[in-house]
Amino acid sequence: MTQPTSLLTELASINGVVLQLPDEAVAPDELRQRAYSELLRQEAMAQGLLSKDDAATADGVLSEAASDAIELLLEKNLAIPEPSDEACRRHHAAHQATYSTGERVHVRHILFAVTPGIDVVALRNRAETTLLDVRCHDGQALDDTFAKAASTMSNCPTGAEGGNLGWLVHADCAPEFAKELFGHKEIGVLPRLVHSRFGLHVVEILQREAGVEQPFEVVRGAVTQSLKQQTYVTALRQYMQLLAGAAVIEGVDIEAADTPLVQ
């Protein structure tokens, strides 16, 4: 299990620049984000885009000048080509449900929130046990196992209403949550835990209303932007790996590469 930052023997740092205040407990994801921001800040300085006088902070908050310099740095170093028409058409054909309009799902859930310092293994065990308990329930029965579990175990305010999220459309959900709900045919308790930025969810689809598929020409712009975003994320990850590979990193676990041939 990852130890809380406050228990580490040394403060996390990038090339000697400290990423946390003394005795500050920082969640691993937040600490990694600070590390990536500091890598970019230092690289912007090295490329002459940011004054050497820009002061680093240990709380992860960048100066306005540093934020602007990082934006220029990424524009300069990340070349994002326009996707070809063929690539866009292939993507649309493979993800038609994503570009449908009007699809709705009636959902309820039980949230097991991931918070700083929590025992993730124990949390997953509780979530999986709950999933097994509710999978065989009959939601129409007076003894509604799912609703009872939501009211006693869910970390979402909807637990008071049996976990009911109501009718949702794609735009109502975080992308990773929507991916599990839309474009499928399943009704009932999903046979797997759904992972999101908020934690682990036991999810039941109560009802579905199918959407209307949109022709490629209508959604061409959205498809193009989606592919460009995917390319940007990949390019940024590779760039960050290269910066990390050339840095002295202490007390924080981030990906690094020592060659520009990053896949």
Side-chain angles (χ1 to χ4, degrees):
M1 181 180 73
T2 302
Q3 294 296 319
T5 304
S6 58
L7 300 181
L8 297 177
T9 58
E10 60 183 355
L11 295 178
S13 65
I14 299 292
N15 293 323
V17 175
V18 176
L19 302 175
Q20 59 188 121
L21 300 170
D23 299 322
E24 179 188 16
V26 185
D29 286 347
E30 169 65 18
L31 196 59
R32 278 191 290 272
Q33 184 58 51
R34 292 187 187 185
Y36 288 132
S37 294
E38 181 57 27
L39 280 169
L40 290 169
R41 191 189 73 87
Q42 292 183 21
E43 184 62 18
M45 196 175 291
Q47 294 193 23
L49 301 174
L50 179 64
S51 169
K52 298 288 186 181
D53 296 330
D54 185 77
T57 61
D59 59 3
V61 179
L62 295 170
S63 68
E64 184 177 350
S67 296
D68 291 342
I70 287 173
E71 185 175 345
L72 290 174
L73 176 74
L74 296 179
E75 288 179 3
K76 176 182 175 183
N77 289 277
L78 300 184
I80 310 301
E82 286 289 327
S84 68
D85 185 73
E86 180 184 358
C88 289
R89 290 181 182 276
R90 285 200 307 267
H91 179 80
H92 174 258
H95 301 87
Q96 288 189 7
T98 302
Y99 300 102
S100 297
T101 60
E103 182 181 7
R104 300 198 309 160
V105 290
H106 186 191
V107 183
R108 59 179 178 175
H109 78 147
I110 304 168
L111 171 64
F112 296 83
V114 175
T115 55
I118 197 167
D119 185 336
V120 177
V121 174
L123 183 74
R124 176 181 289 277
N125 287 340
R126 289 200 299 275
E128 290 179 342
T129 298
T130 302
L131 175 62
L132 290 174
D133 286 343
V134 302
R135 280 197 65 189
C136 295
H137 86 286
D138 178 0
Q140 303 303 315
L142 293 177
D143 184 18
D144 189 341
T145 304
F146 194 105
K148 287 185 176 181
S151 67
T152 58
M153 305 186 71
S154 182
N155 298 129
C156 178
T158 60
E161 288 81 43
N164 188 18
L165 290 169
W167 284 96
L168 303 176
V169 297
H170 200 283
D172 292 330
C173 309
E176 66 275 14
F177 194 66
K179 181 179 178 181
E180 298 293 333
L181 268 58
F182 297 94
H184 305 290
K185 297 181 179 180
E186 294 166 306
I187 294 289
V189 179
L190 300 185
R192 59 196 175 277
L193 293 175
V194 174
H195 298 244
S196 81
R197 65 195 66 183
F198 304 108
L200 306 173
H201 307 253
V202 176
V203 174
E204 181 177 23
I205 307 297
L206 298 171
Q207 294 173 274
R208 288 186 183 275
E209 289 184 358
V212 178
E213 294 182 0
Q214 298 297 301
F216 174 71
E217 295 302 332
V218 172
V219 295
R220 179 193 293 270
V223 174
T224 300
Q225 285 303 116
S226 179
L227 287 182
K228 288 180 68 174
Q229 178 63 19
Q230 292 177 21
T231 302
Y232 180 86
V233 169
T234 299
L236 178 59
R237 179 180 63 83
Q238 293 176 348
Y239 187 55
M240 296 306 306
Q241 287 176 333
L242 291 175
L243 294 183
V248 178
I249 300 172
E250 300 288 347
V252 57
D253 182 22
I254 60 177
E255 292 184 86
D258 57 8
T259 171
L261 300 177
V262 180
Q263 298 300 318

